[in-house]
Structure formats: C-alpha cells, structure tokens
C-alpha cells in the first residue's frame, strides 16, 4: 500500500510556497491598490486685484458636477486662493510666492503624497493671470522652486480677462489714489499701489515680461511650459456697451471688458526688433522681421470684467462677468454663461468651441514700442514725435483699413520712461483693422503700417510694423 501522506521535505516545500505567495501578495498589494485609486484633479481659482473668491461665483460647486456630466471620472477638487490684494507693499511676485506655498501645503495636508495620475490646473481672473504666469515661470525655470516638483502634474492654465500688457483702469486707479493722497482724503481703495503700478501699460513688470518672452531663454521656458501645460486665454468684450464704443478700443464694438482692452488679454503677440544708426539713410523705410508667438489657445466671448447681471438664469449673458459663474450652472452645463462651457471643455480635454460670429467682429490691436537711445542719454517722452502713415495717406471722409489713436478713445496712447534706464522709454498705441477676419484659415489678416519717429538730435526714421487684430505687437527699436 502506497503512503500518500506528504514527507517532511514535501511539507517544507509547500510551506515555503505559501510564504512566497504571501510575501508576493504583500509586495504587489500597494501597486494594485494604487492602480485602483480615482485620479485626483486639483483646480485652483486665483482672483484679481481688489477681489476675492466671490469673483468666481458658484464655480467651486459647479465644476465637479460639470466634469462628471461630460464623462470625466477624475475626482475634481476646486479650491480658492485668496491673497492680500490692496496691500500697498505687495507685488505680483509676492503673491505668486504665496500661491506656491498655498498649493504645496494643500497637497501636503490633503493628499499626503502625489500619485502619478494626479493633476493640477489653475483658473485665473484679471491680475490672477499675472500671478499664475509668474508661478508657472518660476516652476519651470527654477529647480529649487516649490512648484518645480509639480511640472509633471500640471494640466491646464486658464486666464479670464488678464491684463498681460496692462489695463487702462490701472492707470485710472493710480490717478485716483494720487488725487486722494494729495487732498489728504483717507478713503479705503482695495487696490494696492504696487499692484496698480505693475498693471499699468509700460510698467517695469510688463516690460520685463515682454522682453523675457522675446529672449532665447524665455522662449525655451515657454516651450517647456507649453509641453506640459495646456494654456487657454479667454478674452472678453462688452458688446452690451456698444453705444460707448467710440471711447474705447475697437472700431464698431466695445472691445474692452470695462477694465482690460481685448488685445491685452492674450499672450499671443508679434515681436520684432531693429537697430538704426544715425548715419543711415534717413529716407529709407526699415522693415524688421516680425515673429508671431502663439503661446495659448485664444477664445473670444461677449462678457464683462465683473458681472453687472443678477444671479438668474434669465439674466442677459452679455452683462455677466467673464469669471462669475451663476447658480443655475451648478446643475446645468448648458447654462447661459458666456465662458463657463469653454472652461469645462478645456479641462475635459475637449475642443473649445468658438462662436465665429463673435470672433469675426474683432478689429482692435495694440502696439507696444520700446525706444532705446545710447546709454546715458536722458530721454523725455514728450519730445518723441510719432506719426503713422494712415494719417497722411487717407482723406478724412475715406474709411481706412487701419486706424491708430482714434480721436475719441480714452487713454489711446501713452509713454513711460524705464525705471532702471533713463535712456529707454515705452510707448503704447491702440488701433483697429477693418474686416480682417479670414474664414478660410480662421484667423485675422496682418496689416503693415509705417511709423515715422523723430527724436531731438537724431534723424527721423521710418519703420514698417506688422499689426494684427486681437493681438499686440512688440517692437524693440534701438536708435544709435
């Protein structure tokens, strides 16, 4: 009779196999558990100057519902970053540092650790877009920044009415604060002095930003950001206020959102540079090469910088704030808010639809000019004379294609001496290009204007400049 009982050696083998399987189960358990996690997506809302979390209305509650409605399975966690806006001593760089700490602390305290599938997006309104831009540039250029460890987790950055080139209201706000100070009137104004200065056309902050974007190093950083972060610039114009359009940027529309001119609210721009010697032919028209930088997706909506509409589904969408999401959007993805569905589509990695009838009405552009003289030269902006060819080439009763410095537009131009270099001055001009939208390629046609510039002690020069509706043009002009 055969003994079927296992031998001592067999028992040892079986025991060893059990132990091996148990150890293997323990080893792979965290991996299996990790793979079963629902991906987390942190969305940080960053408000603008003089504002708070109420800027975004019901976005914190609405976004998770809407993302689920479009079939996105991630765990969307929407939080608001609030900062000390109105503090006369704080800069946008200070606020970007606070944002960096805020996000890092949330991840440390709430998530404990990052998983490979975790994602982070930022939605910013007005000045918040400048703060977000500085934060991202630091994260992608400084390996020691807190945000540097997140570069593989960033998903989207959405700006809503951000004054990348400045805002006319910042100029007005600075004048108001100055007048109140002169009159010794202590009136609380929720706008910090440095904040207003930084958001003014031609400010030191904006100058550095524009120059950095034009450098090889800056282009490299932008490229790295673009490879990791999907950027969307939503720009707004107040068509509901078209009866006032003669006083703002734009030809037939109110191409301003009550705070930011439309071309200032996108990172997309044209860049050129030229160095002209005083010994060169003064009759020659110089034509520098312009490079078009399309950094972001760009969408146009009819809305205002801040809402003038009641929180009602029956309120006119054109009077809504570009960032303020009304209550009825919480359970209705198809709600009437002009930019909300674009935000949801972008976060959900869906095509962001543009109303072509809205886009084709845009005419406005901005020209940002940096004039640099020889080092040590003192320059007075009032002594610089600039003329454009459309003034000389068209009679008053004709309808020119390009109009610069409309006679009735408020703050249509301006000049600022560089704080760090008295031989450098920034000039800005606004203008319009008539009927430039081209349906065939869904883009605007470029036009060329000839600028004549005269500076005391130097010969008069003429330069061809490319301009494009919905964009800004930045020209660095060295007069030697």
């Amino acid at each position: 009779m055969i003994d079927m009982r296992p031998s001592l050696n067999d028992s040892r083998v079986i025991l060893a196999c059990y132990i091996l399987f148990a150890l293997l189960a323990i080893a792979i358990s965290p991996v299996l558990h990790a793979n079963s996690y629902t991906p987390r997506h942190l969305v940080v809302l960053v408000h603008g100057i003089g504002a708070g979390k109420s800027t975004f209305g019901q976005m914190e509650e609405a976004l998770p519902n809407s993302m689920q409605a479009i079939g996105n399975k991630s765990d969307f966690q929407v939080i608001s970053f609030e900062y000390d806006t109105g503090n006369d001593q704080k800069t946008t760089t200070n606020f970007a540092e606070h944002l960096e700490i805020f996000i890092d602390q949330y991840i440390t305290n709430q998530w404990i650790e990052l998983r490979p599938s975790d994602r982070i997006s930022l939605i910013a309104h007005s000045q918040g877009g400048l703060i977000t831009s500085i934060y991202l540039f630091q994260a992608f250029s400084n390996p020691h920044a807190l945000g540097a460890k997140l570069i593989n987790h960033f998903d989207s950055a959405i700006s809503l009415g951000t004054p990348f080139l400045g805002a006319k209201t910042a100029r007005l706000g600075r004048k108001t604060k100055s007048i109140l100070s002169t009159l010794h009137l202590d009136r609380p104004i929720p706008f910090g002095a440095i904040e207003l200065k930084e958001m003014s056309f031609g400010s030191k902050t904006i100058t550095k930003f524009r120059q950095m974007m034009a450098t090889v190093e800056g282009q490299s950083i932008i490229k790295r950001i673009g490879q990791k972060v999907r950027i969307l610039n939503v720009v707004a114009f107040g068509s509901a206020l078209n009866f006032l359009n003669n006083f703002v940027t734009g030809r037939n529309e109110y191409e301003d959102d009550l705070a930011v001119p439309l071309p200032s609210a996108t990172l997309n721009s044209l860049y050129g540079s030229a160095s002209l010697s005083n010994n060169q032919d003064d009759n020659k028209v110089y034509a520098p090469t312009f490079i078009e930088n399309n950094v972001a997706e760009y969408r146009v909506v009819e809305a205002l910088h801040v809402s003038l509409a009641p929180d009602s589904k029956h309120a006119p969408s054109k009077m809504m704030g570009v960032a303020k999401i009304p209550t009825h959007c919480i359970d209705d993805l198809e709600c009437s808010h002009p930019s909300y569905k674009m935000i949801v589509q972008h976060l959900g990695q869906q095509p962001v639809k543009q109303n072509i009838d809205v886009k084709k009405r845009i005419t406005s552009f901005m020209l940002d000019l940096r004039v640099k003289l020889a080092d040590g030269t003192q320059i007075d902006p009032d002594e610089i004379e600039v003329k454009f060819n459309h003034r000389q080439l068209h009679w008053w009763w004709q309808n020119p294609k390009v109009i610069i410095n409309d006679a009735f537009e408020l703050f249509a131009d301006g000049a600022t001496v560089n704080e760090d270099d008295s031989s450098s001055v920034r000039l800005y001009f606004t203008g319009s290009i008539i009927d430039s939208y081209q349906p065939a390629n869904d883009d605007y046609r470029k036009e060329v204007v000839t600028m004549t510039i005269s500076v005391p002690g130097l010969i008069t020069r003429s330069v061809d400049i490319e301009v494009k509706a919905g964009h800004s043009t930045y020209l660095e002009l060295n007069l030697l």
Side-chain angles (χ1 to χ4, degrees):
M1 183 175 182
I2 300 175
D3 187 356
M4 300 297 292
R5 290 176 298 175
S7 67
L8 180 60
N9 287 337
D10 291 337
S11 298
R12 288 173 178 171
V13 170
I14 293 171
L15 178 61
C17 289
Y18 275 126
I19 293 173
L20 179 62
F21 282 126
L23 291 175
L24 182 61
I26 293 171
I28 68 173
S29 178
V31 176
L32 295 173
H33 188 50
N35 289 337
S36 68
Y37 285 138
T38 299
R40 298 174 297 193
H41 197 140
L42 176 64
V43 180
V44 184
L45 309 181
V46 187
H47 63 77
I49 185 171
K53 65 183 296 182
S54 62
T55 292
F56 297 96
Q58 305 300 321
M59 192 179 292
E60 281 193 33
E61 188 174 352
L63 263 183
N65 292 347
S66 298
M67 299 311 299
Q68 187 177 24
I70 65 171
N72 192 297
K73 303 301 183 183
S74 295
D75 173 19
F76 275 82
Q77 302 173 23
V78 187
I79 60 175
S80 291
F81 166 65
E82 296 193 272
Y83 55 93
D84 193 16
T85 177
N87 187 323
D88 285 340
Q89 308 305 316
K90 294 291 182 69
T91 68
T92 48
T93 299
N94 294 146
F95 299 140
E97 292 167 351
H98 298 165
L99 173 62
E100 180 180 56
I101 294 170
F102 175 80
I103 293 174
D104 185 72
Q105 289 181 341
Y106 182 90
I107 291 172
T108 300
N109 296 332
Q110 301 297 323
W111 288 3
I112 311 301
E113 63 180 0
L114 280 168
R115 305 168 191 153
S117 60
D118 288 335
R119 293 293 176 262
I120 301 167
S121 294
L122 300 108
I123 302 177
H125 176 248
S126 193
Q127 178 183 249
L130 298 177
I131 295 168
T132 296
S133 298
I134 295 171
Y135 166 69
L136 288 174
F137 268 91
Q138 284 294 318
F140 281 85
S141 62
N142 180 5
H144 302 294
L146 290 175
K149 65 184 179 183
L150 303 176
I151 59 175
N152 291 320
H153 297 275
F154 286 120
D155 180 74
S156 305
I158 302 173
S159 70
L160 306 165
T162 290
F164 292 109
L165 300 184
K168 293 181 179 181
T169 47
R171 185 172 171 182
L172 181 61
R174 291 181 68 190
K175 288 181 177 292
T176 302
K177 284 185 77 91
S178 176
I179 292 171
L180 291 177
S181 177
T182 301
L183 296 176
H184 303 289
L185 296 175
D186 186 15
R187 295 288 185 273
I189 298 179
F191 309 132
I194 297 178
E195 291 177 274
L196 288 171
K197 187 176 183 179
E198 288 185 316
M199 286 201 298
S200 298
F201 295 123
S203 72
K204 179 179 178 179
T205 301
I206 290 175
T207 297
K208 286 186 175 181
F209 188 66
R210 292 304 296 261
Q211 289 178 317
M212 184 278 301
M213 287 185 65
T215 64
V216 174
E217 180 184 4
Q219 287 292 314
S220 176
I221 296 171
I222 291 171
K223 183 178 180 180
R224 291 202 298 274
I225 294 174
Q227 290 171 343
K228 298 288 186 179
V229 186
R230 299 178 301 111
I231 303 175
L232 173 65
N233 296 152
V234 178
V235 302
F237 70 100
S239 59
L241 304 177
N242 278 350
F243 60 94
L244 296 173
N245 77 293
N246 287 333
F247 303 104
V248 299
T249 307
R251 182 60 172 167
N252 302 310
E253 304 276 351
Y254 191 99
E255 294 185 36
D256 190 299
D257 64 8
L258 276 180
V260 181
L262 189 147
S264 179
T266 176
L267 290 166
N268 297 345
S269 62
L270 286 78
Y271 166 74
S273 64
S275 295
L276 308 181
S277 168
N278 204 41
N279 299 321
Q280 291 174 306
D281 183 1
D282 59 350
N283 293 317
K284 181 178 179 180
V285 177
Y286 298 90
T289 299
F290 283 86
I291 299 172
E292 185 170 349
N293 295 316
N294 290 313
V295 178
E297 279 195 80
Y298 166 78
R299 297 293 183 270
V300 186
V301 297
E302 296 178 89
L304 301 176
H305 199 71
V306 294
S307 182
L308 296 181
D311 187 356
S312 167
K313 65 169 56 179
H314 304 296
S317 62
K318 296 178 182 180
M319 298 296 286
M320 293 181 180
V322 66
K324 191 161 189 175
I325 308 306
T327 302
H328 69 279
C329 291
I330 293 176
D331 299 310
D332 182 10
L333 177 59
E334 302 298 329
C335 66
S336 58
H337 189 271
S339 62
Y340 182 61
K341 194 167 185 179
M342 291 182 174
I343 294 170
V344 173
Q345 289 170 341
H346 189 73
L347 287 176
Q349 300 190 32
Q350 298 180 346
V352 182
K353 297 178 182 178
Q354 170 69 66
N355 185 330
I356 299 302
D357 289 335
V358 170
K359 185 176 181 178
K360 70 182 183 183
R361 286 149 52 191
I362 301 306
T363 64
S364 61
F365 67 87
M366 289 187 67
L367 173 57
D368 189 4
L369 176 66
R370 177 178 178 263
V371 179
K372 177 71 171 70
L373 303 184
D375 291 341
T377 303
Q378 296 290 325
I379 186 169
D380 183 352
D382 293 334
E383 294 181 344
I384 299 177
E385 183 179 359
V386 176
K387 295 181 180 179
F388 296 95
N389 65 359
H390 71 282
R391 296 292 186 192
Q392 290 78 38
L393 297 181
H394 295 90
W395 297 99
W396 67 268
W397 62 80
Q398 291 180 310
N399 187 25
K401 287 184 178 180
V402 181
I403 297 174
I404 300 179
N405 292 358
D406 190 279
F408 297 102
E409 183 181 341
L410 302 176
F411 303 124
D413 58 9
T416 307
V417 176
N418 193 315
E419 295 178 35
D420 299 328
D421 183 3
S422 60
S423 63
S424 175
V425 65
R426 288 286 296 277
L427 307 172
Y428 82 85
F429 307 90
T430 61
S432 302
I433 305 174
I434 310 304
D435 297 328
S436 71
Y437 178 71
Q438 299 174 307
N441 58 0
D442 187 28
D443 202 358
Y444 302 102
R445 180 185 67 252
K446 294 177 185 176
E447 293 285 351
V448 176
V449 295
T450 302
M451 177 189 73
T452 301
I453 182 168
S454 301
V455 179
L458 298 175
I459 62 174
T460 298
R461 326 290 179 88
S462 295
V463 182
D464 279 346
I465 302 175
E466 290 184 4
V467 292
K468 185 177 180 180
H471 291 65
S472 64
T473 295
Y474 177 54
L475 173 64
E476 287 193 335
L477 189 60
N478 298 303
L479 303 180
L480 309 174

